[in-house]
Amino acid sequence: MAPPAQIFHANNVDPASAAAAVKVVSIETAAPAHSASLLDADEFRCHGHQVIDFIADYYASIGTYPVRPSVTPGFLLDKLPDHAPSRPERDAFATALRDVRDHILQGLTHWQSPRHFAHFPASSSTAGALGEALAAGINVVPFTWAASPAATELEMVVTDWLGKALHLPETLLFSGGGGGTLLGTSCEAILCALVAAREQKLAEIGSSKGIDDLVVYCSDQTHFALRKAARIAGIRRDNCREIPTRRDCMFALSPADLRAAMDADVNAGLVPLFVCATIGTTQTAAVDPVGELSAVAAARGAWVHVDAAYAGAALVCPEFRHVTDNAAEGVDSFSMNAHKWLLANTDSCALWARRPAVLVAGLGVENEYILKDAAEEGHDVVDYKDWSVTLTRRFRALKLWLVLRCHGVEGLRDHVRGHVAMAAAFEAMVRADERFEVVVPRQFSLVCFRLQPPPPPPEKLGGGEKAANELNRRLLEEVNATGSGPYMSSAKVGGIYMLRCAIGSTLTEERHVIEAWKVVQDRAADLLGKMEITYGALA
């Protein structure tokens, strides 16, 4: 090809103008002089050591941080400049790490703290963290098989490994005609399953009915991700049935109530589409009867998805297989978060589908033009871009594969069992103190409990549930105000306000659980003492 100047002359362009144009082109297209250093191996090694040392020091001293920071909105905005630097300062990386240590860490809720009991775990491990770093460093984008063949096939291997470890039915695995993928969160998994179900149902019912007639079902304990997914998928808000649960059924979804709701909709000319059953609800870790719900849904042509975001991890242990009782055979999709309780670090949500072709039909694209490869000819390859909402995706399989390789299934069982044992010990301590009650029997490693108020003088003060709820709200505030922890959360189910102690941090030991209970008892004693003084003054 002729150089730019010759091209300009060939088109009778003034040579001076051409020279100026060439100069502009050269400036705009030339690579920056420092581009080779952006991934310089020596610099990467140096900074990488700094980061590893920083993280190691953080975990070594994490017990000195308050679990939840005492900051007010805007605290970090006041400490950092309002614009990025024009040029990096000297030793920019080390200086930035100091800001992380001195400013950012001070304003974080420390999810890896051994005294974090407020939420379901966001578990970490050395293998999980380094697997995340390894995937980030390699930084491939495996949206099709051709885009990164090994990444795609490792994801297939890992999801089958994990599915077998969880004792999922063969029909959900690649080895049995189904298949799995790794997404970011259960919210994505529910949305993908719902869109697949929607497209399949609309194809079945034809033009006689439309999306406005489709109905989804859940309990009033189902995570709000289902309602959010339904809105995104175009389901009418008033076609999302939240079926009430009861304390005497441990807040699980009743098959009889589901059947009644579905039959009422069918009689009204509506179309049952989707049932979301939960293994381990957010508030109380309730377990829906998956098998019975699947039978009800199947009779009415509805898709069944199981959201086991938290408690699905417990299925690695034989003693917890009863929660599905082999009932998962009848479900259409199943999801769980390996980053919650299986040491995989955020994010790593596994979704399995009994009929992957339905996922592809609902989520795939028709125009295949990106990175097709001759090696695919004659092979039924998996293009994971057609299994989820996003095109760009992360190499999550590498991290999960490393966790499974380094810990093994027995190691994961030991991890889960350790937390369950600590939760059982905490539950026993609650039951041994007559001032408290366990609101619902413990499920997995979550204990829901509350302080029972002393009876007030009936002629002076009102009692009942309202008083009990207010007392426990104050108790939670007092517990969480303790500078060194613990940090707990609350739930309000069936009109009952309760405290939640969710044990699952990788670093939590029995002593942390005992210390947490001592704080709860001390704060409760203070509150009850103040109430007795108040009652005495009113008597």
Side-chain angles (χ1 to χ4, degrees):
M1 179 180 291
Q6 292 177 343
I7 293 175
F8 284 121
H9 284 302
N11 289 280
N12 298 317
V13 177
D14 177 69
S17 300
V22 170
K23 185 176 181 181
V24 171
V25 170
S26 299
I27 292 173
E28 291 182 347
T29 60
H34 68 287
S35 61
S37 70
L38 295 179
L39 276 176
D40 178 77
D42 290 335
E43 185 177 39
F44 194 95
R45 184 174 290 108
C46 175
H47 291 168
H49 281 303
Q50 292 178 36
V51 170
I52 294 297
D53 286 343
F54 185 98
I55 297 171
D57 290 343
Y58 171 68
Y59 279 118
S61 62
I62 195 169
T64 66
Y65 289 96
V67 186
R68 192 173 61 167
S70 298
V71 296
T72 56
F75 84 98
L76 188 60
L77 300 177
D78 295 335
K79 295 179 182 296
L80 300 180
D82 60 4
H83 59 275
S86 176
R87 292 289 182 183
E89 58 196 299
R90 184 178 179 83
D91 296 326
F93 196 84
T95 303
L97 281 182
R98 282 197 295 273
D99 280 349
V100 174
R101 181 195 64 201
D102 296 340
H103 302 314
I104 296 174
L105 285 185
Q106 309 306 319
L108 294 180
T109 296
H110 297 280
W111 282 68
Q112 304 313 314
S113 170
R115 300 185 303 275
H116 188 299
F117 305 112
H119 310 292
F120 287 141
S123 63
S124 293
S125 65
T126 299
L130 294 180
E132 185 76 19
L134 188 61
I138 296 172
N139 202 31
V140 298
V141 186
F143 48 80
T144 62
W145 179 88
S148 280
T152 293
E153 295 188 17
L154 186 63
E155 190 163 339
M156 297 170 70
V157 168
V158 163
T159 51
D160 263 20
W161 276 12
L162 182 58
K164 291 173 182 176
L166 300 177
H167 304 94
L168 297 183
E170 190 78 9
T171 52
L172 287 174
L173 310 181
F174 282 107
S175 56
T181 185
L182 296 176
L183 307 174
T185 69
S186 290
C187 302
E188 294 176 58
I190 294 170
L191 176 60
C192 291
L194 181 54
V195 168
R198 180 197 68 190
E199 292 305 292
Q200 176 182 251
K201 182 60 68 176
L202 290 175
E204 287 176 2
I205 63 179
S207 59
S208 61
K209 292 182 178 291
I211 195 170
D212 286 348
D213 295 312
L214 303 181
V215 186
V216 303
Y217 303 85
C218 63
S219 84
D220 59 3
Q221 301 304 302
T222 302
H223 195 276
F224 67 81
L226 184 276
R227 282 156 318 261
K228 184 172 183 177
R231 293 201 299 271
I232 295 172
I235 306 301
R236 293 177 52 178
R237 288 175 184 256
D238 56 359
N239 278 7
C240 188
R241 305 281 181 263
E242 294 184 16
I243 300 172
T245 56
R246 299 181 297 276
R247 186 179 182 183
D248 60 358
C249 295
M250 294 180 61
F251 301 110
L253 177 56
S254 161
D257 291 346
L258 174 65
R259 182 184 300 108
M262 285 185 151
D263 288 348
D265 286 330
V266 170
N267 292 335
L270 299 175
V271 180
L273 170 67
F274 190 89
V275 175
C276 185
T278 305
I279 295 177
T281 59
T282 300
Q283 301 211 80
T284 64
V287 176
D288 292 336
V290 175
E292 296 174 73
L293 297 174
S294 296
V296 171
R300 290 149 186 82
W303 181 292
V304 177
H305 176 77
V306 175
D307 173 20
Y310 155 65
L315 298 179
V316 299
C317 302
E319 60 267 31
F320 287 113
R321 291 179 206 166
H322 68 276
V323 302
T324 58
D325 194 26
N326 297 320
E329 293 284 352
V331 307
D332 295 283
S333 52
F334 186 105
S335 64
M336 59 81 62
N337 290 341
H339 63 249
K340 271 191 164 60
W341 207 6
L342 288 186
L343 302 173
N345 287 53
T346 305
D347 55 16
S348 182
C349 171
L351 168 67
W352 292 270
R354 185 157 54 92
R355 291 165 294 167
V358 181
L359 274 182
V360 174
L363 297 161
V365 295
E366 297 178 357
N367 297 323
E368 297 291 342
Y369 60 91
I370 301 175
L371 287 181
K372 278 296 181 182
D373 193 287
E376 298 179 42
E377 295 298 327
H379 298 278
D380 186 18
V381 301
V382 170
D383 286 339
Y384 273 123
K385 67 178 175 58
D386 297 332
W387 290 49
S388 64
V389 174
T390 64
L391 174 62
T392 301
R393 57 199 316 275
R394 302 171 61 227
F395 190 7
R396 296 184 180 94
L398 187 59
K399 171 179 59 179
L400 186 54
W401 175 78
L402 199 60
V403 168
L404 290 168
R405 286 286 301 272
C406 293
H407 294 280
V409 176
E410 287 298 333
L412 298 180
R413 286 174 182 158
D414 291 343
H415 177 69
V416 169
R417 284 169 174 159
H419 289 137
V420 171
M422 285 186 271
F426 187 90
E427 180 187 34
M429 289 186 285
V430 174
R431 292 188 184 279
D433 190 327
E434 61 183 12
R435 299 171 300 174
F436 291 85
E437 72 167 326
V438 175
V439 180
V440 292
R442 175 186 52 80
Q443 297 272 33
F444 312 107
S445 64
L446 174 67
V447 181
C448 296
F449 67 101
R450 68 173 178 170
L451 175 63
Q452 301 185 86
E459 71 279 4
K460 299 291 184 181
L461 291 173
E465 209 63 66
K466 184 176 180 180
N469 288 347
E470 177 59 20
L471 173 63
N472 281 278
R473 184 191 63 77
R474 291 167 58 194
L475 175 60
L476 181 63
E477 288 181 353
E478 294 280 341
V479 168
N480 287 344
T482 306
S484 60
Y487 177 38
M488 296 184 182
S489 61
S490 66
K492 190 172 183 181
V493 185
I496 302 171
Y497 185 101
M498 64 193 83
L499 279 69
R500 296 172 72 259
C501 179
I503 299 172
S505 171
T506 307
L507 296 173
T508 299
E509 300 173 1
E510 185 177 359
R511 62 185 177 91
H512 299 114
V513 176
I514 294 172
E515 291 167 2
W517 175 238
K518 182 67 166 55
V519 170
V520 172
Q521 286 184 306
D522 289 348
R523 299 283 74 78
D526 287 347
L527 283 174
L528 292 176
K530 292 174 184 177
M531 291 181 70
E532 288 177 3
I533 293 173
T534 301
Y535 291 171
L538 293 172

